[in-house]
Amino acid sequence: MKQLFLCFLIFIFTAPAFAKSGGSHSVGGYTKKNGTYVQPHHSTNPNTTQRDNWSSRGNVNPYTGKHGTKVPKK
């Protein structure tokens, strides 16, 4: 029983870290400092490369179907 509880605790504290690796997340709407409103949208999760961003050349945004056009810097 002790081992089961320990496994449960490990899962509870590590699952969020695995869930956020790769993939995407929702971004709520917000107003920029210059007064421009940005609509709610989805974005790729941050990491150390730009090659997997939907706006990068060779990728497709699964939510809009738009093909990426930007050349990745990293």
Side-chain angles (χ1 to χ4, degrees), residues 23-30 38-46 53-55 61-64:
S24 65
H25 61 278
S26 297
V27 179
Y30 60 94
V38 177
Q39 295 285 334
H41 58 280
H42 287 84
S43 180
T44 52
N45 290 336
N53 292 348
W54 296 325
S55 60
N61 184 323
Y63 296 95
T64 64

Side-chain angles (χ1 to χ4, degrees), residues 17-68:
F18 290 113
K20 293 194 181 231
S21 63
S24 65
H25 61 278
S26 297
V27 179
Y30 60 94
T31 304
K32 293 182 176 183
K33 288 181 181 179
N34 66 5
T36 304
Y37 180 72
V38 177
Q39 295 285 334
H41 58 280
H42 287 84
S43 180
T44 52
N45 290 336
N47 57 17
T48 59
T49 182
Q50 292 180 346
R51 297 191 182 278
D52 60 357
N53 292 348
W54 296 325
S55 60
S56 295
R57 192 174 293 163
N59 296 318
V60 178
N61 184 323
Y63 296 95
T64 64
K66 290 183 180 179
H67 290 265

